[in-house]
Amino acid sequence: MKENRRFKIFEIFKITKKDAFSFKHEKKKIMSKKNSKSKFHIVFYAIVITLVLLIPFSMSHSTESSENKKKKEEKEEVVHHGENSNCFKCHGKHKYTMLSSDSSQSITRLMPSEYFIDTVAYYKGTHKSFKCSDCHSEEYATTPHNGDLRFEPIPSCIDCHGGDPEYEKYRFEQIEEQVQKSVHIKGCSDQFSCWRCHDAHSYKSTARENLNIKELIAYDNGMCLKCHASSVDYMLFSENETPNLIKKHDWLPNQANHFKNVRCIECHTPIVDSMLVGHNIMPKEKAVKGCVECHSSDSRLMHTLYKFQAKERRNEQGFFNGAILSGDSYVIGANRNYFLNVASIAIFALVVIGILIHGILRIILKKKNNVN
Amino acid sequence: MSTKLYLYPGWLRIWHFINAILCLALIITGLNMQYSDPNTAFISFATAVKVHNISGTIFVFNYVLFFIGNIVTVNGKFYWREWKGFFQQMMAQAKYYLFGTFKGEHTPFPVNENRKFNPLQKIAYVAIMYFFLPLVLLSGVAMMYPEIIIPELSGMSGMWLTNLAHIISGFIISIFLLVHLYFCTFGTTATSNFKSMVTGYHE
């Protein structure tokens, strides 16, 4: 009966037993597909759930690691702070107190600015993990300091960083070479060292770390002005009076704007392609005293002040020397817009062609009209 | 057409002459600065800046002369227009320039003592004299004294916007100069309008 009934059903749908078999087979296939789909879903949800579960864990892990890092850093600072705090007790303040040998009397004096260390800046600087005694003699531990210690040579940049592949990108060898050629070494000889411009105690790689051009300009020009705008500091190197920078640069139009928007070294050092900042400060006769060096499509500023930014993003279609615009500056002749250039030339050409065609037609047709 | 109409008074001709010379100087030096190139400098950048600044300053005073002159004398009224039907009048003038002039037709709005400019001239002169010239002058003065420029306007550098306004308006004025010179040949003869600007009499 059952067979018959099934047969009937087959008949109704006009399918044979063979078809029925293949039908079953298809059904199985579909079912297995469905199964695999549902399996896929299960796997998918499983992954999502595990991820969801893992996220807080990983976050807690990462926060833990960053906390660890912080703690480690703090620990590092604390360790060095401990070792350096003896020095900073006097050198970290603008005044210091000395006791007489029998400790019965004390005297308080101002700390000369040359020997004052800004401790906040120190622990933010590149050399923050250093102990004072890494560079200075350990004999400084005794107070009052032995006067002869002043004659002890202090390492310069190249002494620590020279020949080290880790610091290769900073080109310390080339910097040293250029400094030796510069007017500072020639003019000030022994008195001059890296530390006259760069304070090792607060040094930061501003040109690479700071993308804010205005801050970079102020920082870099500050280095020059430390001596060149101070009659006291300048005296250390020269018998002459400090040249009046404003008067010396009175040929420069919009002087204040130039001083705010470019660095001294833009004009006073030659460009060296392999270096971010040129260190060969030239005598004033050799400084750039032109306009087009910067005010042109191939602006010098792109090779000096905006070198880092220029490398980061180059765009030819859009603004020429676009990096200059990021600093809210506008350099006449250097900032050109590709599309405005094309559009202006096209409009100009169309107007000229239009006038020519109109004019020629007028002349020809006027002659014709006259003949008629 | 031998009737002569005294249309360009002395002050206007002097103003126009100074204006023309300064415009040329400003366009040439301006282009020289905008497309400065150390290798192919037409005029040195420093000279261009100097000439541009001096010419620009005189230009400002000259514009003030024009502005006051147009208020004090009757010359200002030539720039007024009736908006009613003005578009149709402009179209009629455009039609004349595009077709009529080739057929030997006469201009639909001939010059008389009450009408110095045709509708197209009116709109162009008003745009140039009362919009683009003030814009180029104000932005130019701002660039001479950059400390007065607002440092930032809705996220854009004020300096950059001022320069852009200066360059674009300067370019439009240069294009106007070209077209202006060409349309000056539409006198009784090709040179009569140029002569008028010297003698003051419109032929």
Side-chain angles (χ1 to χ4, degrees), chain B residues 73-92:
Chain B
T73 71
V74 291
N75 193 58
K77 76 166 194 234
F78 295 124
Y79 292 83
W80 293 107
R81 76 232 145 268
E82 281 279 329
W83 281 116
K84 207 178 163 192
F86 189 69
F87 185 73
Q88 281 78 5
Q89 290 175 14
M90 279 202 306
M91 292 310 285

Side-chain angles (χ1 to χ4, degrees), chain A residues 253-254 256-257 260-261 291-293 295-298 319 325 328-330 332-337 340-341 343-345 347-348 351-352 354-362 365-366 369, chain B residues 33-38 41 45-46 49 53 97-98 101-104 143-147 151-152 156-157 159-160 163-164 167-168 171 174-175 178-179 182-183 185-190:
Chain A
N254 285 325
N257 240 25
K260 254 190 276 170
N261 291 297
C291 306
V292 269
E293 280 81 355
H295 293 275
S296 60
S297 57
D298 184 29
F319 271 92
L325 285 167
D328 292 342
S329 302
Y330 185 92
I332 300 165
N335 289 141
R336 303 175 193 177
N337 183 290
L340 280 185
N341 268 359
S344 60
I345 291 167
I347 293 170
F348 187 82
V351 168
V352 172
I355 287 175
L356 280 177
I357 292 174
H358 200 271
I360 291 167
L361 274 176
R362 258 174 76 207
L365 291 171
K366 202 179 180 186
N369 284 342
Chain B
M33 279 190 274
Q34 174 66 9
Y35 297 104
S36 58
D37 189 319
F45 193 90
V49 170
N53 283 353
Y97 281 140
L98 285 174
T101 181
F102 300 125
K103 295 180 196 156
M143 279 159 77
M144 275 177 96
Y145 302 97
E147 56 277 3
E152 204 190 288
M156 281 180 285
S157 153
M159 186 74 125
W160 176 70
N163 281 273
L164 211 58
I167 287 163
I168 292 175
F171 173 73
S174 317
I175 293 290
L178 266 184
V179 179
Y182 176 64
F183 279 116
T185 61
F186 279 78
T188 313
T189 66

Side-chain angles (χ1 to χ4, degrees), chain B residues 8 12-13 15-16 192-201:
Chain B
Y8 312 105
L12 194 73
R13 279 178 287 153
W15 165 80
H16 188 266
S192 60
N193 277 351
F194 295 100
K195 280 180 198 156
S196 305
M197 222 40 204
V198 179
T199 59
Y201 287 96

Side-chain angles (χ1 to χ4, degrees), chain B residues 74-148:
Chain B
V74 291
N75 193 58
K77 76 166 194 234
F78 295 124
Y79 292 83
W80 293 107
R81 76 232 145 268
E82 281 279 329
W83 281 116
K84 207 178 163 192
F86 189 69
F87 185 73
Q88 281 78 5
Q89 290 175 14
M90 279 202 306
M91 292 310 285
Q93 185 65 31
K95 228 179 187 177
Y96 165 72
Y97 281 140
L98 285 174
F99 310 107
T101 181
F102 300 125
K103 295 180 196 156
E105 285 174 14
H106 286 293
T107 172
F109 303 97
V111 175
N112 59 39
E113 56 188 1
N114 291 319
R115 182 172 55 218
K116 196 163 86 170
F117 306 133
N118 68 49
L120 280 183
Q121 277 176 318
K122 261 186 201 173
I123 193 114
Y125 287 177
V126 167
I128 292 294
M129 294 312 297
Y130 292 106
F131 182 73
F132 288 109
L133 266 191
L135 185 63
V136 86
L137 290 176
L138 286 175
S139 54
V141 169
M143 279 159 77
M144 275 177 96
Y145 302 97
E147 56 277 3
I148 64 172

Side-chain angles (χ1 to χ4, degrees), chain A residues 120-159:
Chain A
V120 177
Y122 182 87
Y123 285 116
K124 278 183 185 165
T126 310
H127 300 124
K128 62 180 171 206
S129 60
F130 279 54
K131 287 181 282 180
C132 300
S133 56
D134 285 340
C135 303
H136 302 284
S137 167
E138 285 189 359
E139 278 184 57
Y140 275 111
T142 51
T143 49
H145 306 315
N146 176 1
D148 277 351
L149 285 175
R150 290 194 189 101
F151 299 100
E152 200 186 48
I154 287 179
S156 68
C157 301
I158 193 84
D159 293 325

Side-chain angles (χ1 to χ4, degrees), chain B residues 4-25:
Chain B
K4 279 190 170 184
L5 188 65
Y6 190 64
L7 210 55
Y8 312 105
W11 74 268
L12 194 73
R13 279 178 287 153
I14 292 169
W15 165 80
H16 188 266
F17 184 68
I18 297 171
N19 206 50
I21 289 180
L22 291 177
C23 251
L24 282 175

